[in-house]
Amino acid sequence: MQINGKHYRTIWVKEGAEPTVQVIDQRKLPHAFVIEDLNTIDDFARAIREMHVRGAPLIGATAAYGLYNALYHAPADKRRLGKYMRDAVELLQNTRPTAINLNYALNRMMNAIEPVEEMEKMLQLALQTANTIAEESIEHCRAIGEHGLEIIQKISKKKKGEPVNILTHCNAGWLACIDHGTATAPIYAAHTAGIPVHVWVDETRPRNQGANLTAYELLQQGVPNTVITDNAGGHLMQHGMVDLVIVGSDRTTLRGDVANKIGTYLKALAARDNRVPFYVALPSSSFDWSINDGLKEIPIEQRNPDEVRYVHGWFNGKIYKVLITPQDSQAANYSFDVTPAHLVSGLITERGICKASRRGIVKLFPEAGK
Ligand code: MRU
């Protein structure tokens, strides 16, 4: 996708400086565009934990490149390699608990390199696998866009060319992935196809991924959008101002329960009450086929309460952090919630659209039922 007319991905190997990897430091957006070098495994872990990078697919890809980087710096003594790599996996795994793409990427990396003996070959395979994870993510998001486009096309026809109003929560855009995004992919595909769309962007407290990131990337691609407070969606739906909701997912279970950014569930409830279609866009790497009951089985990240107590904003060329609660207030920072499958109109995946049910998912992904 474009930033000031130049094509970017969210992560890439620094040219001529392997194993350094570069990412866009998302903490600074939309006010400053800063590219950050990740040089060591600790840099990768910090970047994920402290949300320099975020979004399920990007977290996965960053962890994959982190393992490649760790392997590059591995001790020469082969007897220490096994424990060294297990520690690296553990460090990355413990950064963020909810997005399943992290486990997916780490397992895939270890399955690729573990059977290999020779260090040079291992390194080559590690880089190749991390690159493949990134490339596949791009291709999956592109395909999600193609399938989701059909939903927008149908609504546009009914509206006789009036703009289709789509509400989204958090940032499930290209910044959360490698390119295209998940929830945004159908929106970008529609915009490119000349279908008029307008996006309601939930600001997404406390980290404001909607206001900071989704609004930024939509503006960069020229897609009309309006930032709203997190509580406005229900009102807009009651007044016929939302035609469709599309969100992303950090982990979706075999029966179709969806974990996504805190507040997603409330949007699904409002959508159901107002008969607004509520779709979840996700690549297969965001499914957790080993679990069914999302409420009981998906670990929900609780982050630092200070993210609730303080807000960050831009003033006179600098980012400031200001306190918005009484100094001594307790705060709780539940980061994700689970939307039960029965509230989801459908899952938009790289293989097509399916019902949020075991049957629907296994029809598209027979390997899930095994
Ligand atoms: O805490 P974040 O910013 O990593 O949460 C991101 C989300 O909840 C996204 O909606 C989700 O990862 C889907 S991303 C394509």
Side-chain angles (χ1 to χ4, degrees), residues 51 54-57 59 96 169-172 176-177 182 209 248-250 260-261 336:
M51 292 170 74
R54 22 70 49 210
I59 289 171
R96 299 200 64 192
H169 191 67
C170 193
N171 173 256
C177 304
T182 55
Q209 291 97 325
S249 172
D250 290 84
N260 193 49
K261 182 54 56 194
F336 296 91

Side-chain angles (χ1 to χ4, degrees), residues 26 48 51 53-59 96 99 101 141 168-177 181-183 204 207 209 213 247-251 259-262 264 281-283 286 301 303 335-336:
Q26 301 191 18
I48 301 173
M51 292 170 74
V53 293
R54 22 70 49 210
L58 179 55
I59 289 171
R96 299 200 64 192
N101 303 61
C141 287
T168 191
H169 191 67
C170 193
N171 173 256
W174 76 269
L175 286 165
C177 304
T182 55
T204 321
R207 292 289 295 233
Q209 291 97 325
L213 305 175
V247 298
S249 172
D250 290 84
R251 190 186 296 224
N260 193 49
K261 182 54 56 194
I262 192 79
T264 303
L282 76 162
S286 298
E301 178 179 12
R303 296 184 60 83
S335 232
F336 296 91

Side-chain angles (χ1 to χ4, degrees), residues 16 66 68 130 141 146 158 167 241 264 267 276 301 332 360 366:
Y68 153 67
C141 287
E146 226 168 67
K158 267 197 205 150
L167 185 141
M241 294 160 82
T264 303
K267 294 298 133 64
V276 173
E301 178 179 12

